């Protein structure tokens, strides 16, 4: 039991902290600093616990049959990598959220509590070995996101975005839950490892499994804003508090893609060195068709996101459509369904977290009561804020996939994995989409450095956000220059 607790330490700590912060919030009166410091310490503790648990995974073992969770939780290196990503994203959001919220509305204590709860939900998703646990984690994360989206309650766009997100999110959850029910009926279990075994043994109802998996894909595609379930993202990302948008579009996407990986590995198991009888041939056909359908979703998501981003004048909507495109890039790893594909997903999820949060932190600091959000407002930014212009340029170059920044090796691994799995055409579409994206990424850089400002220069009080920006820039550069450090870690997980 002790070994199980040590391996799942960050998740158990996150659950405990989520309970503690409720009571701390209730009895701390109007002391915002206490909750703020508690949340900062909580995320640092979660990062430390994740690193510790990761370091002992090779030397510690336990019997899953006699575990506390009866095998419902996945304990190992894979979820721990995502735990670190989630905790870092939460930490950066809290650090950079204070100056933004104080300027735009008020830094109510509930903001910190909701961010911590959403991270707890993300960790549950990554640790899931059971379909119901995935659903519980997604709902915990989503409910926190609904409230965070409408956090600035005296701003009509924020409230409208929250309502739209809630209604469509509830609808998507229905698809997910119905898919889980059909998958259970088709395989006789909700344990993911047992589903994989039953599929390989042919002990399933293939028709209901296909329908169930399709519905699960629909539910998860909504969470990552993949085509054709992306319509909510631009309006929600634009209406939500900017710092919340950065958090949702990175950590939330990483959590959903971790569910994609877990479910993909077990619902689309690799059939190797096995003589295909009629039943296994049908199952192999289902796996190949599923990968092809996801490839179609990925290609349309990349193209649509980048093409629509071209015509956006509002920078939050531009980054929202860009976020849709990046969901398509991440889906390439699911299509590849091999070790390189899953490695690429982990690397790109980590890299994307830093470059996207960093970009939204800068946008949040330059925003003034929903103004200064047009791309042209960034004209001549190098004159008023040379450091912010430099940081934004780094993030844009990385998002475009230009070396030596973190976005390049991430895209490269995903593209190569698709070629290796026989989806060369998908890689060609991904490369075309990347070329299209350079127009608006490089266009923003041109505005900042080579155009004269329209009207008054932007004046921003960055404050503690500089800490988040420096951390983000460091990792974007570090992962770009030394990608093998994370790549080797990711490859060892599969």
């Amino acid at each position: 039991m002790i070994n199980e607790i040590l391996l799942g330490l960050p998740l158990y700590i996150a659950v405990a902290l989520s309970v503690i912060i409720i009571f701390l919030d209730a009895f701390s009166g109007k002391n915002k600093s206490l909750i703020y410091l508690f949340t900062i310490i909580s995320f640092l503790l979660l990062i430390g616990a994740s690193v510790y648990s990761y370091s002992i995974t090779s030397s510690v073992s336990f019997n899953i049959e006699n575990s506390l969770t009866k095998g419902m939780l996945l304990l190992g290196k894979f979820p721990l990598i995502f735990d670190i990503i989630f905790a870092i994203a939460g930490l950066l959001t809290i650090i950079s959220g204070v100056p933004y919220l104080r300027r735009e509305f008020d830094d109510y204590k509930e903001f910190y509590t909701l961010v911590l709860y959403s991270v707890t939900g993300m960790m549950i998703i990554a640790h899931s070995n059971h379909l119901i646990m995935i659903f519980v984690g997604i709902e915990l994360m989503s409910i926190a996101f609904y409230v965070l989206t409408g956090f600035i309650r005296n701003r009509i766009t924020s409230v409208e975005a929250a309502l739209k997100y809630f209604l469509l999110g509830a609808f998507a959850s229905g698809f997910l839950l119905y898919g889980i029910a059909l998958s259970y009926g088709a395989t006789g279990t909700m344990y993911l490892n047992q589903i994989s075994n039953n599929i390989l043994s042919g002990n399933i109802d293939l028709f209901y499994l296909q329908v169930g998996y399709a519905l699960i894909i629909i539910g998860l595609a909504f969470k990552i804003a993949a085509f054709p379930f992306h319509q909510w993202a631009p309006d929600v990302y634009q209406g939500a508090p900017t710092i919340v948008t950065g958090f949702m579009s990175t950590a939330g996407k990483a959590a959903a893609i971790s569910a994609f990986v877990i479910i993909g590995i077990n619902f689309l198991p690799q059939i190797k060195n096995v003589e295909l009888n009629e039943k296994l041939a049908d199952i192999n056909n289902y796996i190949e068709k599923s990968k092809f359908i996801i490839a179609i979703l990925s290609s349309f998501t990349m193209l649509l996101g980048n093409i629509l981003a071209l015509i956006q004048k509002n920078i939050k909507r531009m980054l929202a459509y860009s976020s849709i495109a990046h969901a398509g890039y991440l889906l390439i790893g699911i299509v590849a369904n091999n070790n390189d594909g899953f490695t690429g997903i982990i690397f790109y999820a980590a890299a994307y977290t830093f470059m996207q949060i960093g970009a939204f932190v800068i946008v949040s600091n330059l925003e003034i009561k929903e103004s200064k959000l047009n791309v042209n407002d960034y004209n001549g930014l190098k004159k008023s804020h040379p450091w912010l212009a430099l940081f934004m340029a780094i993030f844009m170059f990385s998002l475009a996939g230009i070396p030596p920044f973190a976005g390049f090796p991430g895209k490269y691994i995903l593209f190569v994995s698709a070629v290796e799995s026989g989806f060369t055409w998908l890689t060609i579409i991904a490369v075309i989409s990347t070329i299209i994206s350079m127009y608006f990424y490089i266009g923003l850089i041109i505005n900042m450095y080579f155009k004269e400002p329209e009207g008054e220069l932007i004046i921003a009080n960055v404050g503690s956000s500089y800490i988040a920006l420096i951390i983000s820039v460091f990792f974007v550069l570090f992962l770009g220059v030394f990608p093998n450090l994370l790549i080797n870690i990711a490859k060892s997980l599969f």
Side-chain angles (χ1 to χ4, degrees), residues 302-318:
M302 290 184 290
L303 286 172
L304 186 86
N306 284 322
I307 291 173
L308 291 179
L310 287 173
I311 60 175
Q312 302 305 314
K313 301 301 181 184
N314 183 289
I315 192 165
K316 288 176 73 174
R317 291 186 72 86
M318 185 196 83

Side-chain angles (χ1 to χ4, degrees), residues 217-419:
I217 291 299
I218 290 173
L220 293 178
F222 174 88
K223 300 302 178 183
I224 66 170
F227 174 88
F229 314 102
H230 64 281
Q231 295 94 335
W232 61 274
D235 292 339
V236 171
Y237 285 7
Q238 182 182 7
T242 302
I243 204 65
V244 172
T245 301
F247 181 56
M248 290 193 302
S249 65
T250 53
K253 197 179 295 291
I257 207 68
S258 73
F260 256 111
V261 173
I262 296 167
I263 290 175
I265 288 173
N266 293 287
F267 274 72
L268 306 175
Q270 298 181 27
I271 301 176
K272 294 181 178 179
N273 303 322
V274 177
E275 185 177 345
L276 296 181
N277 55 34
E278 185 178 350
K279 187 75 172 178
L280 281 179
D282 289 340
I283 292 172
N284 189 59
N285 187 42
Y286 139 75
I287 292 172
E288 293 304 316
K289 283 184 177 179
S290 298
K291 289 163 62 177
F292 180 76
I293 291 171
I294 297 173
I296 295 295
L297 294 181
S298 172
S299 59
F300 274 102
T301 302
M302 290 184 290
L303 286 172
L304 186 86
N306 284 322
I307 291 173
L308 291 179
L310 287 173
I311 60 175
Q312 302 305 314
K313 301 301 181 184
N314 183 289
I315 192 165
K316 288 176 73 174
R317 291 186 72 86
M318 185 196 83
L319 290 173
Y321 279 108
S322 162
S323 178
I324 292 170
H326 286 282
Y329 296 132
L330 288 166
L331 284 177
I332 293 175
I334 304 299
V335 174
N337 198 34
N338 54 30
N339 291 352
D340 284 343
F342 299 137
T343 298
I345 286 174
I346 290 175
F347 185 94
Y348 202 72
Y352 182 69
T353 296
F354 291 110
M355 52 195 182
Q356 181 82 340
I357 280 187
F360 271 108
V361 168
I362 292 176
V363 173
S364 72
N365 280 286
L366 299 178
E367 176 186 352
I368 303 173
K369 300 293 181 182
E370 291 192 283
S371 66
K372 301 298 183 182
L373 288 174
N374 284 336
V375 175
N376 290 338
D377 290 327
Y378 286 70
N379 292 0
L381 184 64
K382 71 164 187 176
K383 294 181 179 180
S384 58
H385 289 282
W387 284 108
L388 292 186
L390 175 62
F391 291 164
M392 183 62 102
I394 290 173
F395 297 138
M396 292 300 106
F397 280 131
S398 186
L399 286 166
I402 296 174
F405 305 105
F408 173 73
K411 282 187 171 72
Y412 177 79
I413 300 166
L414 289 169
F415 295 174
V416 169
S417 70
V419 173

Side-chain angles (χ1 to χ4, degrees), residues 76-217:
K77 292 183 177 181
F78 171 80
L80 291 171
I81 291 295
F82 277 97
D83 287 348
I84 295 172
I85 294 173
F86 302 149
I88 291 176
L91 180 64
L92 296 178
T93 301
I94 293 297
I95 292 173
S96 55
V98 173
Y100 171 79
L101 289 172
R102 286 177 179 172
R103 184 177 67 253
E104 295 294 316
F105 183 50
D106 197 353
D107 59 326
Y108 287 107
K109 297 182 295 180
E110 289 78 9
F111 175 80
Y112 313 118
T113 303
L114 288 166
V115 172
L116 181 58
Y117 261 87
S118 63
V119 169
T120 303
M122 296 171 196
M123 287 184 170
I124 292 173
I125 296 170
H127 279 270
S128 295
N129 187 41
H130 194 278
L131 289 173
I132 291 299
M133 291 304 295
I134 289 179
F135 180 75
V136 169
I138 286 176
E139 288 307 295
L140 179 57
M141 175 188 74
S142 298
I143 291 170
F145 279 174
Y146 301 150
V147 182
L148 285 169
T149 300
F151 197 76
I152 304 181
R153 58 180 182 268
N154 61 356
R155 182 181 293 177
I156 188 64
T157 53
S158 181
V159 176
E160 179 187 346
L163 182 60
K164 183 178 293 186
Y165 193 16
F166 169 72
L167 292 175
L168 293 176
F171 194 61
S173 294
F175 278 100
L176 178 62
L177 197 57
Y178 195 29
I180 289 173
L182 288 176
S183 299
Y184 172 69
T187 61
T189 181
M190 288 195 183
Y191 287 90
L192 290 167
N193 58 332
Q194 293 179 15
I195 288 175
S196 178
N197 293 335
N198 290 351
I199 291 173
L200 291 173
S201 66
N203 187 26
I204 57 169
D205 187 308
L206 186 56
F207 173 76
Y208 286 109
L209 177 66
Q210 293 179 68
V211 177
Y213 183 58
L215 292 173
I216 289 174
I217 291 299

Side-chain angles (χ1 to χ4, degrees), residues 445-487:
I445 297 173
I446 291 173
N447 283 13
M448 293 189 298
Y449 279 88
F450 301 105
K451 289 188 178 181
E452 293 300 318
E454 297 181 359
E456 296 181 6
L457 290 175
I458 295 176
I459 300 175
N461 181 19
V462 181
S464 61
S465 295
Y466 258 127
I467 299 173
L469 288 173
I470 290 170
I471 293 172
S472 298
V473 168
F474 171 79
F475 279 103
V476 166
L477 293 172
F478 182 81
L479 293 176
V481 177
F482 305 104
N484 285 336
L485 293 176
L486 182 55
I487 290 171

